[in-house]
Amino acid sequence: MAKLKKLHMSSNMEDLEKMSIIPDLRNKGMKILLNTARKLYMTAEEYRLDGDEELAYITYMKYFNMLTAIHKKSDYASHKTTVRQMLGDTDSNRRIMDTLEVIINSLRHRYAQQRQEPEPIPLDLVSNGGVSLDSPISPPTQYARLGLITCQDLYRRMQEKSVLVMDCRPSTDYDASHLTYYCAFNVPEELITPGMSAGRLQARLSSSGKASWASRSVKDSVVLMDWNTKDAQPAADTAISTLLDILKNWDPDVTYRAPIQIVEGGYEYFIMMYPTHSTNPSVQAPQQNNNDIETIDDIEYPSIHDITMKEDISAKDFRPRPDINRANKPAATRTYDQGISRVSPPAKPIAEILRDQAEFLQRAEQNDEQLEKASKMWKRQAAEGDGLNATEDQELHFRILQLESKAQDYIVENNRLREELTRIQELHNVTQQLSQKEVEATRNIESKIRERQRLDEQHELERQERERLLAIARETKKHYKSPPPSGPPSPDRHLENLQVVSDSLESLLQLTGEDPPIAQNKVERPTFDRAMKPQPRNVERTSQRVRDFSPVIGQNVGRGLTGLKNLGNTCYMNSILQCLSNTPQLTEYCISDKYKNYISRSNKTNGQVIEEVAALIKELWNGQYKCVASRDLRYVVGQYQKIFRGVDQQDSHEFLTILMDWLHSDLQTLHVPRQREMISASEKAWLEFTKAKESMILHLFYGQMKSTVKCVACHKESATYESFSNLSLELPPNSNVCQLNQCMDMYFSGERIHGWNCPSCKTKRDAIKKLDISKLPPVLVVHLKRFYADPSNSGAYMKKQNYLRFPLENLDMNPYIARAESRAVTPKTYQLYAVSNHYGTMEGGHYTAFCKSANYGKWFKFDDQVVSALDSSNVVSSAAYILFYTWLPPMQVSL
């Protein structure tokens, strides 16, 4: 947003509000009102971004007044869907209302400063209402919740260091977990009693508490927090209500700069959203009388018929579901229901199919041109063995793999258009005949589909030929030996030919992404600081380590947009590191050096892995380098896992899983005391897994799975719990296209097991096993099991090239959680922010990462040392291998 413009419209809010009055609109048509409201909103946004708060306020107010007029129209009910499409739903308008509230607060403050006198905010404006298109719209001030502050707004004020936070939970709860913010302190619940003055309460505080208490008069705002209060007017018998009364009515010596506010949702909500800003985000809720609830939780499925079985999910369930316009909720629901009931969704108009085909063919032809150009260069290089260096050879091969993967995605798109055309033809055969114009358009579409299929078949033959040559190169490599040192020039023509063959073979092997034996001594060896050798345990190393990042200086490089050099098939590592680097909470934890307070020196890796990851992330986010090298991190992980030492390609999922365990172990120093005598089986299992010591990695990435086994005879249930850092989902073997939620359905469906020792029947019984998530992690990592052992090919590992459709927003995990988790306040809807991609096959492949930058709000492609902008429409592809979702709110990473 631009710098705030000077006040120029008014000197007070009352006069400004008069300017927002709109004329009588009862005789205006709905279409005119909707278009006018839309223009008002866009104009208000422009004023806001331009820094003109007064004009923004006037226009926003006119927008809401227009919304009220629309709602009062007699034909509103029949246009409700159109209203939602053009002006957004209730949540959208609530967000607009929140923006307006910020402007109102700012203007009041600025007008008060202009008059050199404070302007109090009327208490009658405090409300818990919200904007709804289903109820009459009143002036925005009636909906202002000025007595509450959201966790997001509190976080922003904490970043600005302008707020004082008073935490009025019991001192034992505060000691177990509290904010790491420097101006947050404990006003213990046990010290707060009704009728006491602010001075008397201050006298009871600790010495540090008294110092913080004294700053309430100089901070821009004061915020109160307990465990989970959500109301601006909490119950009278609560500590937070009493503290609020003391500060407002019994603190005569202090004039507060702004009204005192309560954190909406309390500490419970805040640590869910910003776990890195608390000493222990896994703290248990205060003791409650919930024994009855926990007894109910022991029974996950009262009826065995409640469980959907794997055999009930047939191959036909993996057919592509209809594309749905989510902006049109009734239509979306109707279309979805039709898809579920196996009724074909409505066919698209032929004109729309023509438009889709034209756009698709343009993209496909561009990909064809790039693939043909790269293939010619590849063939020439393979035949001549000169022209490109080893790095360029490898980059060319990787580019071909990505273009081939994109070509496969276009085959899926062409098939989708063919299905759409078939659907519309079947529909018109039943209902009515096509017009002559529609018949010609249909023939044109069919002709282009067939032509595209012929091109795809030709490209597949070319791909197979390239793969055949590469297979020959790999096989030859096994038996190839380095020639003896060359002597004086020989006139023997045979030796000259041998050298040509040698050069050509070396070039071809380089294209596989592997180093030929004769080039082993040419591989760039990492340079290491020998101080990095594993140290004796329990020894703190204080000397500053000199690391070799080999940075390449860049110009106007955005923070977090630095690439990683490929150090010899390290693209699998680069892909994962970029995904982790774009996890804002982890990055902020590393850049701010908070991790240093929790390093363990008594584990296997001696704290070295987190040190190297943090050091690398700092380089990726300093905004100075085009690319850097991860030599030191690679060396350290190679010391503890030999498969990461060499130059062979590895599995990014295996690297991620091991890295997560190492990082957790390196930071597993946070002691979590048991706060309640009675804990659930789930909590007990979690305590056993963590051994009462947790880490920030655990808080971010780890969840818990509940495995329920139910006897089919007596219906007795038995449950076990296991922690996870990622979900590994099977892809259907007989479906080229599928949806992520279909794979989830299969993973979380029941399966029959035989010979289970039923503790109730005291004998072996058939049973049903079912998985549910009993603890959702803030960051949900989903691994797609693309690689499998093919029994028809001597158990050789093959790759599934399924095109998986997955949502970029609003992944709903409600269908897959256990009963207890469904009652938790933890968010259940996730947003995608990173993807680790794999191109190629088991024999030769390449990894990249697609990541959404938290600082820029846009998607970028990380292809080793090259970082480029990425359109969100290209995020979903058949190369997707690991998906990173989160329900944590977006946060800017600052240095």
Side-chain angles (χ1 to χ4, degrees):
M1 193 174 92
K3 183 179 179 181
L4 289 181
K5 293 185 180 299
K6 292 184 178 180
L7 298 173
H8 62 100
M9 299 290 295
S10 177
S11 61
N12 58 74
M13 293 299 299
E14 288 73 21
D15 291 344
L16 201 63
E17 188 170 358
K18 294 176 182 177
M19 302 178 193
S20 65
I21 298 174
I22 61 175
D24 187 357
L25 302 171
R26 284 176 291 183
N27 296 327
K28 300 295 182 181
M30 181 64 77
K31 184 176 180 180
I32 293 176
L33 296 183
L34 289 174
N35 288 332
T36 304
R38 182 65 182 169
K39 289 179 182 177
L40 283 170
Y41 167 70
M42 297 180 70
T43 303
E45 280 291 281
E46 290 175 0
Y47 284 138
R48 181 182 66 83
L49 295 174
D50 196 38
D52 194 331
E53 288 188 327
E54 290 178 309
L55 285 175
Y57 168 82
I58 293 171
T59 318
Y60 275 128
M61 287 288 289
K62 286 183 176 180
Y63 168 81
F64 281 108
N65 289 333
M66 185 70 67
L67 207 58
T68 301
I70 290 171
H71 185 274
K72 291 180 179 180
K73 292 283 289 183
S74 59
D75 57 345
Y76 168 74
S78 60
H79 290 87
K80 186 181 293 187
T81 299
T82 306
V83 173
R84 288 180 181 273
Q85 287 178 334
M86 292 190 66
L87 305 182
D89 57 9
T90 299
D91 289 338
S92 300
N93 281 282
R94 185 176 290 117
R95 287 192 291 271
I96 299 174
M97 183 67 72
D98 291 341
T99 300
L100 178 56
E101 288 177 15
V102 173
I103 293 175
I104 291 173
N105 287 340
S106 177
L107 285 172
R108 286 185 183 278
H109 179 67
R110 293 174 69 189
Y111 284 143
Q113 282 186 326
Q114 195 176 58
R115 296 192 307 269
Q116 294 299 313
E117 62 181 23
E119 181 175 342
I121 300 177
L123 293 178
D124 58 357
L125 296 183
V126 178
S127 170
N128 284 318
V131 181
S132 172
L133 290 174
D134 299 320
S135 58
I137 304 295
S138 299
T141 51
Q142 294 186 18
Y143 290 94
R145 302 181 301 161
L146 299 181
L148 291 175
I149 180 173
T150 65
C151 294
Q152 292 92 328
D153 287 338
L154 174 58
Y155 174 75
R156 283 193 289 271
R157 293 189 194 178
M158 289 167 57
Q159 296 296 98
E160 297 167 357
K161 301 181 179 179
S162 63
V163 61
L164 176 68
V165 182
M166 297 185 182
D167 188 330
C168 57
R169 293 177 296 138
S171 57
T172 53
D173 292 351
Y174 183 86
D175 292 339
S177 178
H178 56 266
L179 298 180
T180 56
Y181 178 55
Y182 83 107
C183 255
F185 72 105
N186 185 213
V187 182
E189 177 183 307
E190 57 268 25
L191 301 184
I192 304 172
T193 57
M196 70 189 322
S197 66
R200 184 180 172 192
L201 178 57
Q202 179 180 5
R204 292 187 174 188
L205 297 176
S206 64
S207 56
S208 60
K210 289 176 181 176
S212 299
W213 177 271
S215 67
R216 68 193 186 283
S217 61
V218 297
K219 283 295 180 182
D220 290 344
S221 59
V222 174
V223 167
L224 310 185
M225 170 188 288
D226 63 359
W227 175 249
N228 61 358
T229 289
K230 305 178 182 67
D231 200 327
Q233 296 176 328
D237 59 346
T238 58
I240 197 168
S241 175
T242 303
L243 178 59
L244 182 62
D245 178 66
I246 292 172
L247 297 176
K248 288 169 60 175
N249 301 316
W250 304 101
D251 194 11
D253 297 331
V254 173
T255 300
Y256 292 94
R257 296 187 175 187
I260 300 168
Q261 295 175 298
I262 293 175
V263 179
E264 184 179 17
Y267 190 65
E268 181 181 29
Y269 273 25
F270 191 89
I271 60 176
M272 279 195 305
M273 295 183 179
Y274 302 99
T276 60
H277 290 268
S278 70
T279 58
N280 174 22
S282 288
V283 64
Q284 299 173 355
Q287 179 69 51
Q288 297 175 346
N289 294 325
N290 56 358
N291 292 338
D292 293 339
I293 293 177
E294 292 177 354
T295 301
I296 294 174
D297 287 341
D298 291 338
I299 305 175
E300 193 69 45
Y301 298 96
S303 172
I304 202 167
H305 301 293
D306 294 338
I307 302 176
T308 301
M309 302 300 295
K310 278 185 169 54
E311 55 263 30
D312 296 333
I313 304 178
S314 60
K316 64 182 179 180
D317 291 301
F318 284 95
R319 69 182 181 85
R321 294 185 179 178
D323 292 328
I324 301 170
N325 178 10
R326 299 293 176 186
N328 186 343
K329 187 174 181 180
T333 305
R334 185 165 57 253
T335 303
Y336 182 82
D337 291 341
Q338 288 173 338
I340 293 298
S341 60
R342 308 296 177 231
V343 177
S344 297
K348 288 184 177 180
I350 291 179
E352 188 174 344
I353 297 178
L354 269 171
R355 185 176 65 251
D356 289 350
Q357 187 181 52
E359 294 175 355
F360 148 67
L361 288 176
Q362 183 179 10
R363 298 194 306 270
E365 287 167 3
Q366 290 176 351
N367 193 76
D368 292 345
E369 293 173 1
Q370 296 176 26
L371 182 56
E372 182 179 4
K373 181 179 178 181
S375 297
K376 287 181 179 179
M377 187 180 298
W378 182 87
K379 291 177 182 177
R380 183 172 64 253
Q381 177 64 12
E384 299 174 359
D386 57 9
L388 299 177
N389 59 40
T391 300
E392 292 171 333
D393 280 341
Q394 191 179 61
E395 290 178 358
L396 177 60
H397 177 56
F398 291 163
R399 176 160 178 75
I400 289 175
L401 289 178
Q402 294 176 61
L403 292 171
E404 288 177 345
S405 177
K406 199 67 178 175
Q408 292 296 314
D409 294 347
Y410 288 138
I411 292 176
V412 173
E413 180 69 12
N414 198 40
N415 291 336
R416 186 189 66 81
L417 290 174
R418 183 178 58 190
E419 292 172 0
E420 289 281 357
L421 188 63
T422 301
R423 187 178 300 120
I424 199 170
Q425 289 172 330
E426 291 174 348
L427 176 64
H428 283 279
N429 287 338
V430 175
T431 58
Q432 58 184 358
Q433 295 295 322
L434 294 171
S435 66
Q436 183 61 36
K437 185 178 180 180
E438 289 175 326
V439 170
E440 292 178 1
T442 301
R443 289 174 179 168
N444 186 27
I445 295 172
E446 288 178 328
S447 174
K448 291 181 179 179
I449 288 175
R450 287 194 296 269
E451 176 61 25
R452 187 68 224 174
Q453 287 175 329
R454 285 192 291 269
L455 283 173
D456 290 336
E457 291 170 359
Q458 177 183 340
H459 294 157
E460 176 61 19
L461 292 175
E462 294 173 355
R463 187 196 67 78
Q464 292 177 4
E465 177 62 16
R466 284 192 296 270
E467 184 60 33
R468 186 184 68 83
L469 293 175
L470 288 172
I472 293 174
R474 294 188 194 98
E475 186 63 28
T476 306
K477 174 184 175 181
K478 298 178 182 178
H479 308 288
Y480 188 75
K481 296 182 179 179
S482 176
S486 56
S490 170
D492 192 335
R493 185 68 179 174
H494 174 71
L495 292 179
E496 294 179 6
N497 290 339
L498 178 62
Q499 185 62 42
V500 171
V501 172
S502 169
D503 293 341
S504 179
L505 176 60
E506 179 176 349
S507 173
L508 190 56
L509 288 173
Q510 288 169 343
L511 290 176
T512 68
E514 301 170 0
D515 294 294
I518 60 173
Q520 288 298 321
N521 59 347
K522 300 178 184 177
V523 176
E524 184 181 2
R525 293 291 182 182
T527 57
F528 307 120
D529 176 4
R530 295 306 172 184
M532 292 169 55
K533 293 176 64 178
Q535 301 293 313
R537 294 185 176 183
N538 299 318
V539 175
E540 182 70 31
R541 286 159 293 129
T542 58
S543 60
Q544 186 67 31
R545 177 179 304 158
V546 178
R547 295 181 172 90
D548 178 17
F549 292 111
S550 302
V552 175
I553 302 295
Q555 294 183 347
N556 300 321
V557 178
R559 286 185 293 129
L561 302 182
T562 296
L564 285 167
K565 295 181 180 180
N566 193 315
L567 303 177
N569 280 313
T570 56
C571 56
Y572 72 93
M573 186 181 297
N574 294 346
S575 173
I576 294 302
L577 291 173
Q578 293 289 10
C579 291
L580 294 181
S581 173
N582 280 277
T583 306
Q585 292 74 18
L586 175 61
T587 295
E588 190 268 347
Y589 193 65
C590 293
I591 291 177
S592 65
D593 286 341
K594 291 179 183 177
Y595 75 94
K596 291 183 177 180
N597 298 323
Y598 301 99
I599 294 180
S600 170
R601 299 298 182 186
S602 59
N603 62 325
K604 173 185 175 181
T605 52
N606 199 32
Q608 287 185 299
V609 176
I610 182 58
E611 287 181 325
E612 295 307 322
V613 168
L616 182 62
I617 286 179
K618 289 178 182 178
E619 297 300 306
L620 296 176
W621 280 84
N622 68 13
Q624 300 178 21
Y625 305 136
K626 180 180 178 181
C627 61
V628 296
S630 58
R631 286 189 175 89
D632 300 276
L633 174 61
R634 184 190 182 196
Y635 171 73
V636 168
V637 298
Q639 296 302 298
Y640 300 108
Q641 184 59 263
K642 63 181 181 181
I643 62 173
F644 302 138
R645 293 178 189 171
V647 294
D648 291 334
Q649 186 67 272
Q650 301 298 333
D651 179 26
S652 70
H653 174 246
E654 184 176 11
F655 174 71
L656 172 65
T657 303
I658 294 175
L659 182 64
M660 284 292 102
D661 287 344
W662 282 343
L663 291 174
H664 166 55
S665 178
D666 275 357
L667 294 169
Q668 194 178 7
T669 60
L670 182 59
H671 180 64
V672 182
R674 178 170 169 174
Q675 292 180 272
R676 302 199 306 261
E677 290 299 323
M678 298 293 294
I679 61 174
S680 65
S682 170
E683 292 172 323
K684 183 179 179 181
W686 185 260
L687 199 62
E688 290 174 352
F689 169 69
T690 62
K691 297 178 176 60
K693 287 187 177 181
E694 301 188 356
S695 72
M696 187 52 59
I697 300 300
L698 185 86
H699 298 158
L700 287 175
F701 294 94
Y702 280 73
Q704 187 187 64
M705 193 74 67
K706 179 180 183 180
S707 176
T708 303
V709 180
K710 193 175 187 73
C711 177
V712 298
C714 70
H715 293 187
K716 169 70 176 179
E717 278 189 6
S718 177
T720 56
Y721 299 86
E722 184 175 355
S723 298
F724 67 89
S725 60
N726 59 78
L727 298 179
S728 289
L729 304 184
E730 293 283 356
L731 293 173
N734 300 318
S735 177
N736 292 328
V737 183
C738 56
Q739 303 268 359
L740 177 60
N741 56 359
Q742 293 168 329
C743 298
M744 289 273 193
D745 291 344
M746 177 64 76
Y747 182 82
F748 289 101
S749 59
E751 59 178 324
R752 298 186 183 277
I753 59 176
H754 305 285
W756 180 60
N757 289 313
C758 177
S760 179
C761 298
K762 307 298 183 183
T763 187
K764 292 185 181 295
R765 294 287 192 187
D766 286 350
I768 294 177
K769 180 181 178 181
K770 173 77 167 64
L771 297 177
D772 297 281
I773 298 177
S774 52
K775 183 180 179 64
L776 279 168
V779 177
L780 179 65
V781 181
V782 180
H783 164 237
L784 308 174
K785 298 175 73 172
R786 291 195 176 275
F787 302 104
Y788 67 101
D790 185 4
S792 64
N793 191 19
S794 304
Y797 270 85
M798 308 294 288
K799 181 185 177 185
K800 295 178 181 178
Q801 302 284 0
N802 304 60
Y803 184 94
L804 181 80
R805 290 180 177 145
F806 48 89
L808 273 61
E809 298 177 340
N810 301 325
L811 172 66
D812 184 14
M813 293 301 293
N814 274 295
Y816 315 114
I817 59 178
R819 191 181 293 263
E821 180 67 6
S822 65
R823 289 195 304 272
V825 296
T826 310
K828 312 299 188 298
T829 303
Y830 288 77
Q831 318 302 322
L832 185 76
Y833 74 91
V835 182
S836 175
N837 302 296
H838 180 269
Y839 304 90
T841 63
M842 285 293 295
E843 287 74 23
H846 180 54
Y847 288 93
T848 67
F850 297 161
C851 302
K852 187 175 183 179
S853 168
N855 278 30
Y856 303 103
K858 297 179 180 179
W859 285 90
F860 292 88
K861 176 183 177 182
F862 295 82
D863 187 356
D864 286 337
Q865 65 268 25
V866 179
V867 180
S868 56
L870 179 74
D871 192 274
S872 60
S873 62
N874 294 322
V875 173
V876 178
S877 75
S878 58
Y881 185 44
I882 304 175
L883 312 176
F884 291 75
Y885 283 94
T886 185
W887 52 249
L888 293 168
M891 60 180 287
Q892 295 277 318
V893 178
S894 56
L895 297 178

